[in-house]
Amino acid sequence: MTNKVKISVCGKEFTLQTSQPASYVMGLARNLETKILEITSSSTSATQFTAAIMVALTMMDDLNAVNQQIDQLRTQSKAYVDEAGKTRLERDAVLAENQLLRDRLSALEKEVKNSKAGSAL
């Protein structure tokens, strides 16, 4: 479902169609305006347009950094999953070997018991 949301940024009105809740989009607009006003108030030569470009570049840089971190986490988590798979295979092999040794021990104990019973006669 799409919503039509009216926002105002630096005195300019915009109507957006979005699937996001109106309150979310309005919050984004307020944050954008705050960032633009921070730049224009700290620099007498920065226009709202220049400030908007600077904010957009900063946000794109932040987005790229976050995407790189996500890629690193994906790579890291894949390595963890691969390691967990190898460990699970090793554990299964050890459990199988353990069961074989238990079975062999049981057979040997039975042999010893039978040999003692046979020699007692």
Side-chain angles (χ1 to χ4, degrees), residues 5-7 13 19 21 35 38 51 53 70 93 102 107-108 114:
V5 180
K6 286 188 179 186
I7 61 169
E13 300 259 334
S19 60
K35 290 182 181 300
E38 284 173 2
I53 297 297
I70 288 171
R102 286 175 188 256
L108 289 172
N114 288 341

Side-chain angles (χ1 to χ4, degrees), residues 14-25:
F14 301 92
T15 301
L16 307 174
Q17 276 194 318
T18 178
S19 60
Q20 299 295 331
S23 60
Y24 174 75
V25 176

Side-chain angles (χ1 to χ4, degrees), residues 29-100:
R30 278 191 303 274
N31 288 341
L32 175 59
E33 184 172 39
T34 299
K35 290 182 181 300
I36 290 171
L37 292 175
E38 284 173 2
I39 292 172
T40 56
S41 66
S42 68
S43 170
T44 57
S45 64
T47 65
Q48 287 180 347
F49 178 76
T50 303
I53 297 297
M54 292 170 69
V55 170
L57 287 171
T58 300
M59 289 181 166
M60 290 192 69
D61 182 46
D62 292 346
L63 177 64
N64 284 338
V66 168
N67 282 334
Q68 286 178 355
Q69 288 174 347
I70 288 171
D71 288 343
Q72 288 173 352
L73 288 172
R74 281 188 184 127
T75 300
Q76 202 174 36
S77 65
K78 183 186 178 320
Y80 291 150
V81 168
D82 291 347
E83 184 66 29
K86 288 178 189 175
T87 302
R88 188 175 299 115
L89 290 174
E90 290 170 2
R91 182 207 62 190
D92 291 347
V94 167
L95 289 174
E97 182 181 7
N98 187 315
Q99 187 59 48
L100 286 173

